[in-house]
Amino acid sequence: MLVDSHCHLDFPDLADRLPDVLQRMQENGVGCAVCIGVNLEDHARVMAVAEQDERLFATVGVHPEYTDVEEPTADRLVELASHPKIIAIGETGLDYYWQKDKPEWQRARFRTHIEAAKRCGKPLVVHTRDSAADTLRLLQEEGADTVGGVMHCFTEDWEIGRQALDLGFYLSFSGIVTFKNASQVKEVAQKCPLDRILVETDSPYLAPVPYRGKPNQPAYVMHVAEEIARLRGLSAEQLADATTDNFFRLFKHAKRP
């Protein structure tokens, strides 16, 4: 069994055809998927999707790219995270690529999410883009190692990956690892300890080869897993077993279906 540890099933590209998406998951051995929250305004929509099927989980958080939205407080995040379908806090983190002019505001929001994760005892789903040094610094300063989490859609170099692992975090690889020119991501996927790897699609984005450029979906996580298995000299089954065990070890509130 595989788990898609990060997707956006509430987005129109997928929500409008959810029965088909779930059927394709089943046909491709994807036993579970996590519907990731990106703002509080759409939280009810995320939950409505996750509650439709026992194979779906959810998270709550506000993505750093979302500026004109309700600002989360730790109390509000902890309140929403009490729902049994919520297995993590996020998607949170820092993005200096899209939001170059608001670093202090981003860092304050990130700290709020880390506080909430520590209070509710659920791990973090972390986004970082052009901000790896500050992301790691804040995780360390705020004691995020006490709850851990995952560096989602990991594209940084091995040194950043090693530091994240030292903080107790997992590294999750997306369809980018299947791209021919993604040598840095492939290197990290080879070097990362097997017991700290997760796989994801980030659907409907970042479809892996051979679907690159088309809408992504959780069923395609098998191509991510197959490429990592190839890079490491493992069978697809070995990689699937390891990443699924890793998922349920990290996300302790997720129940195996």
Side-chain angles (χ1 to χ4, degrees):
M1 184 179 84
L2 283 162
V3 178
D4 182 357
S5 66
H6 193 113
C7 57
H8 300 280
L9 295 179
D10 64 306
F11 285 15
D13 284 354
L14 296 170
D16 293 346
R17 53 189 183 93
L18 190 60
D20 176 63
V21 168
L22 295 173
Q23 179 63 29
R24 293 290 303 278
M25 277 176 54
Q26 182 176 337
E27 292 170 356
N28 287 276
V30 183
C32 297
V34 185
C35 192
I36 300 292
V38 294
N39 62 62
L40 299 183
E41 282 82 349
D42 294 332
H43 178 71
R45 189 177 74 185
V46 171
M47 294 305 299
V49 170
E51 289 175 335
Q52 290 186 42
D53 197 290
E54 67 173 357
R55 296 170 292 177
L56 302 180
F57 307 110
T59 70
V60 59
V62 183
H63 192 291
E65 288 180 25
Y66 286 75
T67 55
D68 257 348
V69 295
E70 177 186 344
E71 198 60 30
T73 64
D75 286 344
R76 180 68 171 144
L77 291 170
V78 170
E79 175 192 0
L80 293 172
S82 66
H83 192 288
K85 276 281 186 179
I86 299 291
I87 63 170
I89 297 293
E91 181 174 354
T92 182
L94 302 174
D95 193 314
Y96 296 167
Y97 180 84
W98 291 111
Q99 300 295 339
K100 294 180 175 65
D101 57 338
K102 297 183 176 181
E104 285 300 332
W105 160 77
Q106 282 196 59
R107 290 192 282 269
R109 180 191 274 181
F110 189 22
R111 292 181 194 274
T112 296
H113 283 78
I114 299 171
E115 178 188 346
K118 289 163 60 180
R119 283 172 52 184
C120 70
K122 295 184 176 181
L124 290 152
V125 175
V126 177
H127 167 103
T128 182
R129 188 168 184 188
D130 289 358
S131 56
D134 275 359
T135 298
L136 291 170
R137 177 175 61 82
L138 265 63
L139 289 171
Q140 187 167 29
E141 287 178 359
E142 298 299 319
D145 58 313
T146 60
V147 290
V150 56
M151 308 296 287
H152 119 83
C153 192
F154 193 81
T155 56
E156 305 294 333
D157 63 21
W158 171 240
E159 178 56 27
I160 296 298
R162 186 190 61 75
Q163 292 180 54
L165 292 166
D166 287 347
L167 284 169
F169 277 67
Y170 290 62
L171 307 184
S172 182
F173 298 93
S174 70
I176 292 173
V177 77
T178 69
F179 298 173
K180 185 183 295 186
N181 62 348
S183 57
Q184 179 171 281
V185 179
K186 292 177 188 289
E187 178 191 2
V188 178
Q190 287 177 303
K191 289 184 174 180
C192 183
L194 184 59
D195 63 356
R196 302 287 283 282
I197 293 176
L198 298 180
V199 289
E200 65 172 88
T201 60
D202 204 9
S203 305
Y205 312 115
L206 300 177
V209 175
Y211 301 101
R212 187 175 182 180
K214 299 177 180 179
N216 203 359
Q217 60 177 299
Y220 296 166
V221 78
M222 62 178 290
H223 297 287
V224 178
E226 286 171 354
E227 174 63 10
I228 297 173
R230 185 191 70 80
L231 290 167
R232 299 179 67 99
L234 301 172
S235 70
E237 291 77 11
Q238 287 174 309
L239 199 285
D241 288 346
T243 55
T244 297
D245 287 345
N246 296 345
F247 176 86
F248 287 104
R249 187 185 317 114
L250 173 61
F251 298 107
K252 297 180 176 61
H253 292 83
K255 295 180 181 178
R256 286 184 185 248

